[in-house]
C-alpha cells in the first residue's frame, strides 16, 4: 500500500509543535481482541499516538468489534450513534475525530459499515492491523479506507511489539497470540468466516515474544488462539511440535512462572497436551474446553464432530492427569431443533462434569452460517427459560468451587493493588481473584497463602 503524506498533521516539523495525538480504543468480545487492541495501540504509539481513556479527547476512536452474537454488532452501531454526536461537537471547536472500526464486524461487514454509519472513516479487519498507520495516512488525505484482506502470516510477521515500559505498565500477566482462525465450521459460528483458516505462528516468533515479556517482568503468559490447541509448528529440533511441547519450551524461559492457554476444542486435546497438565508445574490447572451441548443430536447438527460421551471421557482422562483441574466451558441453548430432552442432556452433562466456571449463551442466528438456514428455530421465551435454568446450575457449581477453596493453602501470583487501601489482588492457580494484605509481598511475587473466606467468587487470604 502506498504511504501518502498530506496535510499539516502528517508533517513531522509541525507535529513536533502540537500535542501528541490521542487514540481511544474500545474492545468488545474475546481475549484475542484484547490482545489485538494492545497490538494496535503499539503500532499507533510508533506513529505518535498516545492512548487515552477519554473518548471526548481522542483524535482517533477505534472500536475493536466482535461478531459472535447479534447483540455484539448492534452494540457497535448504537455506539457509533453516540460517537457521531461527539465528533460533531469536536468539529464545532475546530478539532476533528477519526473513527475506525476494527475486529470481526469490520471483517464481516466491510464496506456495508460505511453505508450504515457514514461517521466511520476506516474499516480494518483483524488480519491487517500492521497496516494501520498507513491506512490512517490515507484517511488523513481524505480517503475512506476499507482493509479486509486475509494475510495472516503477514500479520504474525509484522505484529507490532510493545516497548519495555509499556509491558511493565500492562502488568505481570500477558496474552500471547500463537494461533488464529478456525477450520472447524461449527454451524452456529462466524469465526471461520471472520478470522479465516487456521494458522499457527512459528515457534521462533512465539519464543522471542515470550522472552521479551519475561524480560520485562511478566510472570504469567496466556497463549491465545481461536483453536489454540490446534497449534502446531516445526520445532528447532526438526520435529513437528504440538501445543504440549511448546508449553514445555516456554516454561524454560527464566521468569516465566505460570502458563495458561485458551480456547481449546475437544478434538485437538492430544495426549502430549494432557501429559503437560500432569508433568509441567508451570501449566496452571485450569482448562477452558467448550462443549456447547450435551445432546448428541444437537452436537451433530452443530458439526462439533464429537459426542457427549467423547467429551466426558476426555474430561476423565484430563482429571486422571491433573486431579485438581478446574474445568470451564461454553454452552449454547436453543440451537435450532433443540427439544426439552436435548436441553436436559446438557444439564446432565454439566452435572456430570462439575464446572468451576462457564459461559452460556442463547443461540443467535448469524447470517451466512448453516445454522441460520436450519429448520426449527426456537422462540425467545424458550431460549430465555433454558438459559436461566442452565445458568442457575452453572453458578451454583461455581459457588461450590469457590467455597471449596476456603481453608486451602496454595500459591497466589500478586497482580496489582487491591481496590481498598492496604490490599493486593492476585489470582489462584484456578484463575480466581484473591485479595491479600499489602504486607504479603510485592506485585509479581508468587506467595503461598491460606484462604480464610470467600465472598461471591473472590477469595480472601489470611493476613501474613
Ligand atoms: N449464538 C450463540 N452463541 C454463540 N457462540 C458462538 N456463536 C454463537 C451463536 N451464533 C458462543 C459459543 C462459543 C463462544 C465463543 O460463543 O459458545 O464457544
Ligand atoms: Fe467457532 Fe467452532 Fe471454530 Fe470454535 S471451533 S471458533 S465455535 S467454528
Amino acid at each position: 500500500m502506498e504511504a501518502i503524506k498530506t496535510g499539516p498533521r502528517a508533517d513531522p516539523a509541525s507535529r513536533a509543535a502540537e500535542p501528541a495525538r490521542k487514540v481511544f480504543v474500545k474492545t468488545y468480545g474475546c481475549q484475542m481482541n484484547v490482545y489485538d487492541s494492545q497490538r494496535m495501540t503499539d503500532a499507533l504509539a510508533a506513529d505518535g499516538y498516545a492512548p487515552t481513556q477519554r473518548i471526548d479527547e481522542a483524535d482517533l476512536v477505534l472500536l475493536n468489534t466482535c461478531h459472535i452474537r447479534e447483540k455484539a454488532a448492534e452494540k457497535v452501531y448504537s455506539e457509533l450513534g453516540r460517537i457521531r454526536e461527539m465528533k460533531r461537537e469536536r468539529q464545532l471547536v475546530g478539532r476533528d475525530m477519526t473513527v475506525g472500526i476494527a475486529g470481526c464486524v469490520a471483517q464481516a461487514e466491510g464496506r456495508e459499515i460505511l453505508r450504515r454509519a457514514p461517521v466511520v472513516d476506516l474499516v480494518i479487519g483483524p488480519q491487517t492491523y500492521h497496516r494501520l498507520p498507513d491506512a490512517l495516512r490515507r484517511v488523513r488525505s481524505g480517503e475512506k479506507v476499507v482493509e479486509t484482506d486475509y494475510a495472516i502470516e503477514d500479520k504474525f510477521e509484522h505484529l507490532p511489539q510493545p516497548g519495555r515500559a509499556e509491558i511493565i505498565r500492562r502488568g505481570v500477566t500477558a496474552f500471547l497470540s500463537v494461533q488464529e482462525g478456525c477450520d472447524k465450521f461449527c454451524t452456529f459460528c462466524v469465526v471461520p468466516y471472520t478470522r479465516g483458516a487456521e494458522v499457527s505462528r512459528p515457534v521462533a516468533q512465539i519464543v522471542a515474544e515470550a522472552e521479551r515479556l519475561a524480560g520485562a517482568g511478566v510472570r504469567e503468559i496466556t497463549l491465545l488462539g481461536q483453536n489454540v490447541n490446534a497449534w502446531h509448528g516445526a520445532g528447532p529440533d526438526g520435529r513437528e511440535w504440538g501445543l504440549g511441547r511448546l508449553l514445555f519450551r516456554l516454561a524454560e524461559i527464566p521468569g516465566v512462572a505460570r502458563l495458561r492457554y485458551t480456547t481449546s476444542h475437544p478434538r485437538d486435546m492430544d495426549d502430549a497436551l494432557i501429559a503437560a497438565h500432569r508433568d509441567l508445574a508451570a501449566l496452571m490447572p485450569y482448562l477452558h474446553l467448550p462443549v456447547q451441548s450435551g445432546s448428541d443430536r444437537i452436537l451433530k447438527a452443530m458439526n462439533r464432530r464429537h459426542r457427549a460421551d467423547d467429551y466426558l471421557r476426555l474430561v476423565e482422562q484430563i482429571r486422571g492427569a491433573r486431579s485438581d483441574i478446574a474445568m470451564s466451558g461454553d454452552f449454547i441453548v436453543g440451537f435450532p431443533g433443540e427439544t426439552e430432552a436435548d436441553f436436559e442432556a446438557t444439564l446432565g452433562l454439566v452435572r456430570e462434569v462439575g464446572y468451576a466456571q462457564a459461559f452460556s449463551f442463547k443461540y443467535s442466528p448469524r447470517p451466512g452460517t448453516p445454522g441460520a438456514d436450519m429448520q426449527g428455530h426456537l422462540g425467545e421465551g424458550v431460549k430465555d427459560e433454558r438459559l436461566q435454568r442452565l445458568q442457575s446450575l452453572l453458578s451454583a457449581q461455581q459457588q461450590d468451587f469457590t467455597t471449596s477453596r476456603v481453608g486451602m493453602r496454595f500459591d497466589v501470583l500478586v497482580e496489582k493493588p487491591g481496590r481498598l487501601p492496604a490490599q493486593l489482588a492476585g489470582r489462584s492457580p484456578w484463575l480466581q481473584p484473591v485479595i491479600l494484605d499489602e504486607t504479603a509481598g510485592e506485585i509479581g511475587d508468587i506467595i503461598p497463602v491460606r484462604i480464610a473466606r470467600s465472598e461471591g467468587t473472590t477469595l480472601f487470604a489470611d493476613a501474613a
Side-chain angles (χ1 to χ4, degrees):
M1 194 177 64
E2 204 188 340
I4 309 162
K5 274 200 172 172
T6 49
R9 282 204 282 163
D11 170 5
S14 65
R15 199 205 280 173
E18 280 184 39
R21 289 183 295 221
K22 291 193 174 155
V23 55
F24 172 87
V25 184
K26 180 164 179 177
T27 309
Y28 299 81
C30 65
Q31 287 153 327
M32 184 66 82
N33 268 12
V34 173
Y35 180 83
D36 280 344
S37 287
Q38 290 178 348
R39 295 293 79 77
M40 284 193 278
T41 310
D42 297 334
L44 289 166
D47 212 37
Y49 281 92
T52 173
Q53 306 300 319
R54 286 187 45 195
I55 191 167
D56 58 324
E57 64 173 32
D59 304 284
L60 169 63
V61 172
L62 275 178
L63 304 184
N64 192 7
T65 61
C66 169
H67 202 238
I68 201 100
R69 283 168 295 276
E70 193 169 15
K71 276 208 190 110
E74 284 314 310
K75 265 192 239 159
V76 171
Y77 282 112
S78 66
E79 181 78 27
L80 281 171
R82 285 192 290 277
I83 289 172
R84 193 183 55 212
E85 293 311 310
M86 236 172 268
K87 178 165 176 160
R88 213 173 271 155
E89 276 167 32
R90 273 178 68 93
Q91 284 171 334
L92 286 177
V93 295
R95 303 210 55 156
D96 205 2
M97 181 187 266
T98 301
V99 180
I101 301 295
C104 292
V105 175
Q107 189 66 38
E109 308 239 316
R111 216 158 263 291
E112 171 68 11
I113 297 178
L114 298 180
R115 199 190 60 76
R116 246 184 102 171
V119 66
V120 173
D121 304 291
L122 165 69
V123 176
I124 186 157
Q127 269 76 26
T128 48
Y129 293 152
H130 52 291
R131 297 194 207 147
L132 192 54
D134 265 348
L136 284 169
R137 275 187 271 283
R138 283 165 62 195
V139 168
R140 284 197 291 271
S141 73
E143 247 184 274
K144 292 258 181 189
V145 176
V146 178
E147 283 272 8
T148 50
D149 290 353
Y150 285 115
I152 180 78
E153 289 87 353
D154 216 35
K155 172 180 172 177
F156 281 149
E157 184 101 347
H158 296 107
L159 263 184
Q161 294 297 325
R164 195 182 150 80
E166 187 57 23
I167 298 176
I168 292 169
R169 197 186 66 75
R170 284 176 189 162
V172 295
T173 62
F175 292 134
L176 198 172
S177 166
V178 301
Q179 179 280 336
E180 269 202 43
C182 180
D183 295 332
K184 300 279 192 301
F185 289 92
C186 299
T187 54
F188 51 82
C189 187
V190 287
V191 166
Y193 310 95
T194 57
R195 293 276 178 165
E198 208 165 276
V199 177
S200 291
R201 197 171 174 196
V203 175
Q205 280 183 23
I206 297 168
V207 170
E209 185 165 334
E211 283 173 344
R212 211 165 24 244
L213 292 170
V218 167
R219 308 298 317 275
E220 174 178 300
I221 297 178
T222 301
L223 305 184
L224 292 183
Q226 268 93 26
N227 247 292
V228 72
N229 59 344
W231 180 89
H232 60 97
D237 55 3
R239 298 193 177 181
E240 183 70 3
W241 284 13
L243 192 68
R245 183 67 189 82
L246 179 69
L247 286 161
F248 273 97
R249 172 66 187 88
L250 296 177
E252 287 170 9
I253 297 172
V256 173
R258 289 184 162 193
L259 291 165
R260 303 179 186 275
Y261 60 93
T262 195
T263 284
S264 294
H265 192 288
R267 282 184 62 104
D268 294 316
M269 241 13 249
D270 64 18
D271 290 346
L273 184 52
I274 296 172
H277 278 286
R278 186 189 57 221
D279 301 330
L280 185 59
L283 183 55
M284 291 292 101
Y286 180 97
L287 177 61
H288 184 233
L289 193 65
V291 66
Q292 314 296 353
S293 168
S295 152
D296 286 343
R297 218 173 55 80
I298 296 298
L299 287 170
K300 191 153 196 269
M302 286 175 163
N303 191 33
R304 290 288 295 178
R305 293 181 281 174
H306 60 78
R307 287 163 307 161
D309 247 8
D310 301 326
Y311 182 86
L312 290 171
R313 264 204 312 274
L314 187 56
V315 171
E316 207 178 313
Q317 209 187 334
I318 295 161
R319 286 199 165 131
R322 179 85 206 225
S323 58
D324 69 338
I325 202 157
M327 292 301 301
S328 159
D330 291 348
F331 298 89
I332 296 178
V333 302
F335 188 77
E338 185 188 74
T339 62
E340 178 61 24
D342 292 320
F343 174 66
E344 276 167 20
T346 301
L347 295 178
L349 180 141
V350 169
R351 282 193 199 99
E352 205 158 332
V353 171
Y355 286 91
Q357 218 217 329
F359 305 91
S360 48
F361 313 98
K362 286 191 285 179
Y363 172 69
S364 154
R366 313 307 295 126
T369 61
D373 297 326
M374 284 181 187
Q375 302 291 311
H377 283 269
L378 304 188
E380 283 304 300
V382 180
K383 290 192 208 174
D384 282 333
E385 186 254 348
R386 287 183 187 167
L387 186 66
Q388 216 211 323
R389 280 160 67 199
L390 176 60
Q391 288 188 337
S392 64
L393 174 59
L394 288 167
S395 56
Q397 291 190 340
Q398 184 175 16
Q399 203 51 62
D400 286 351
F401 185 76
T402 306
T403 48
S404 72
R405 304 297 103 167
V406 175
M408 279 175 80
R409 292 173 191 279
F410 50 79
D411 287 350
V412 169
L413 168 59
V414 182
E415 293 183 3
K416 56 188 179 191
R419 250 185 301 146
L420 299 181
Q423 281 185 345
L424 290 169
R427 297 255 173 199
S428 78
W430 308 278
L431 212 50
Q432 300 150 296
V434 182
I435 305 300
L436 311 93
D437 192 90
E438 69 175 351
T439 56
E442 304 284 324
I443 290 170
D445 287 350
I446 294 175
I447 300 175
V449 303
R450 183 188 166 276
I451 299 302
R453 63 190 175 90
S454 67
E455 219 177 274
T457 53
T458 302
L459 301 173
F460 291 81
D462 271 331

